[in-house]
Amino acid sequence: MKRMKKYFIPHKENDYKPHVMRKTSLAVISLLSVFVFFVAVLQTTILQKSNFLSAVIPQSLAVLANSDRGANNLQSLSYSPVLEAAAQEKANDMAAKGYFAHNSPEGITPWYWFSKVGYSYVYAGENLAVNFSDSADVNNAWMNSPGHRANILNDKFSEVGIATALGYYKGAATVFVVQMFGRPSISINPPVQVAAAPTPITSITESNETITSENVLSESQTENQTFIAVENPDVKEVEFSPESEEVSASWIQKALSSPNRMLNLSYLIIGLFVLISLLLMVFIEIKHQHPRNVLAAVGVLVLIVALAYIYRSFLLSEVIVL
């Protein structure tokens, strides 16, 4: 109790200057704030320019999607390694060829990648994003887009798989993120052999009206230029996929895939600590003030706000979704 009083409460014995509000303590807090900033910058750089991303983002994004589904009273999605494999194939293809679209330049549709890894579905969907820097920002971008939100909150989907790939888009290095949804099925009709390059869709509408695809799976397809989802009429739904697993992410995965969120949380804690200490110093012994210490504390708060602004405005890429 005496130590708490010494460090936080102004009184005669500490010359009405709590130790935490002295210049040395405030200098340490300032250095800590700068250190947190550079850690976030380093973390973002590593995520954007190394394969480390693929180890932390899939489960984190799946957990965020299930959080949104839970908030809307929807059943959680299971995580499917098979869908993840399909998403990885699509992400690798975009990264290798430098395109960002649901259909490849050769006309290969998203459903080709499902079939390539052997995933038979009654319902399937795809969300795309580039310029990854924070898993929460990617999920927010999808949820702020009506089409992508519809995929995440589609009660017909029961599984999800997510993958990333490093590549170049419009001449700039970027991370391609692919989120694939599905509900597994068993075939009613004899299986169809998928060609290496299925016949491309002959027409796309800008509305949500249903159009007929002429690709090898004979699906009904809807597309509104922001998301894509299909229903396969030639299959029968199954209750579950034996390969799927419960979605979970450790706190380490969540922290590593969300540098922006961790920076904001760290600055919130540091800022509140400084602000509360400052208010205690100023108002408990209002007759005994130390203007230099007050200004120093205010300077620390300004530094925290400035660093957060610089990181958010100049170092984070704007997520693009499709």
Side-chain angles (χ1 to χ4, degrees):
M1 187 65 181
K2 289 183 178 180
R3 181 170 295 182
M4 291 288 292
K5 184 177 181 181
K6 174 183 177 181
Y7 279 92
F8 296 99
I9 308 300
H11 58 282
K12 186 176 182 179
E13 293 180 6
N14 60 17
D15 194 26
Y16 303 102
K17 289 190 294 185
H19 284 229
V20 75
M21 284 288 100
R22 297 189 179 189
K23 292 181 180 179
T24 301
S25 298
L26 292 174
V28 171
I29 294 173
S30 297
L31 290 174
L32 176 62
S33 301
V34 173
F35 175 76
V36 169
F37 175 82
F38 282 107
V39 168
V41 172
L42 178 62
Q43 184 178 349
T44 301
T45 302
I46 292 174
L47 287 175
Q48 293 177 336
K49 297 184 178 181
S50 75
N51 290 326
F52 176 72
L53 179 67
S54 61
V56 298
I57 187 177
Q59 298 291 341
S60 297
L61 279 175
V63 167
L64 289 170
N66 275 341
S67 177
D68 293 325
R69 289 174 68 89
N72 288 272
N73 298 316
L74 295 173
Q75 184 177 2
S76 295
L77 299 169
S78 299
Y79 197 80
S80 169
V82 183
L83 279 181
E84 180 179 345
Q88 191 65 65
E89 292 278 353
K90 174 61 178 287
N92 291 344
D93 193 63
M94 288 194 296
K97 299 172 183 175
Y99 72 95
F100 179 57
H102 291 295
N103 295 339
S104 76
E106 299 84 6
I108 297 176
T109 69
W111 327 120
Y112 167 73
W113 309 109
F114 284 73
S115 299
K116 184 176 181 181
V117 299
Y119 188 91
S120 178
Y121 60 85
V122 62
Y123 298 105
E126 177 183 81
N127 284 346
L128 304 178
V130 288
N131 292 346
F132 170 90
S133 54
D134 189 290
S135 58
D137 288 345
V138 173
N139 188 73
N140 288 339
W142 280 331
M143 287 299 291
N144 288 332
S145 166
H148 299 89
R149 178 186 176 91
N151 265 352
I152 292 174
L153 301 183
N154 192 330
D155 62 358
K156 292 182 173 61
F157 297 141
S158 62
E159 298 182 344
V160 66
I162 302 165
T164 65
L166 299 173
Y168 286 85
Y169 178 60
K170 294 185 177 179
T174 190
V175 175
F176 295 88
V177 184
V178 179
Q179 182 181 48
M180 287 186 168
F181 304 91
R183 180 177 288 272
S185 66
I186 55 176
S187 296
I188 297 176
N189 297 330
V192 179
Q193 295 297 322
V194 179
T199 304
I201 299 169
T202 56
S203 63
I204 298 292
T205 64
E206 295 185 5
S207 66
N208 285 330
E209 66 181 81
T210 301
I211 60 177
T212 300
S213 166
E214 295 182 2
N215 66 9
V216 295
L217 291 180
S218 300
E219 303 143 341
S220 296
Q221 177 162 323
T222 60
E223 182 170 330
N224 68 356
Q225 295 187 339
T226 60
F227 84 110
I228 191 165
V230 296
E231 176 181 358
N232 191 342
D234 296 325
V235 295
K236 181 179 180 181
E237 182 179 326
V238 296
E239 293 296 326
F240 67 96
S241 171
E243 294 87 3
S244 65
E245 55 192 40
E246 185 178 350
V247 174
S248 64
S250 68
W251 68 269
I252 295 179
Q253 287 176 306
K254 294 176 183 178
L256 291 176
S257 64
S258 299
N260 182 43
R261 177 175 290 187
M262 294 306 299
L263 179 80
N264 291 336
L265 179 60
S266 299
Y267 279 169
L268 177 63
I269 294 172
I270 296 172
L272 285 176
F273 176 80
V274 174
L275 180 61
I276 292 172
S277 300
L278 177 61
L279 293 176
L280 290 174
M281 185 180 75
V282 170
F283 290 106
I284 288 182
E285 288 288 345
I286 199 166
K287 295 180 180 180
H288 302 86
Q289 297 300 322
H290 298 274
R292 290 184 179 179
N293 296 77
V294 172
L295 288 175
V298 172
V300 172
L301 294 175
V302 171
L303 174 65
I304 291 172
V305 173
L307 290 174
Y309 175 79
I310 291 171
Y311 179 81
R312 186 69 187 180
S313 300
F314 300 104
L315 297 175
L316 281 185
S317 303
E318 182 179 358
V319 179
I320 303 173
V321 297
L322 183 67

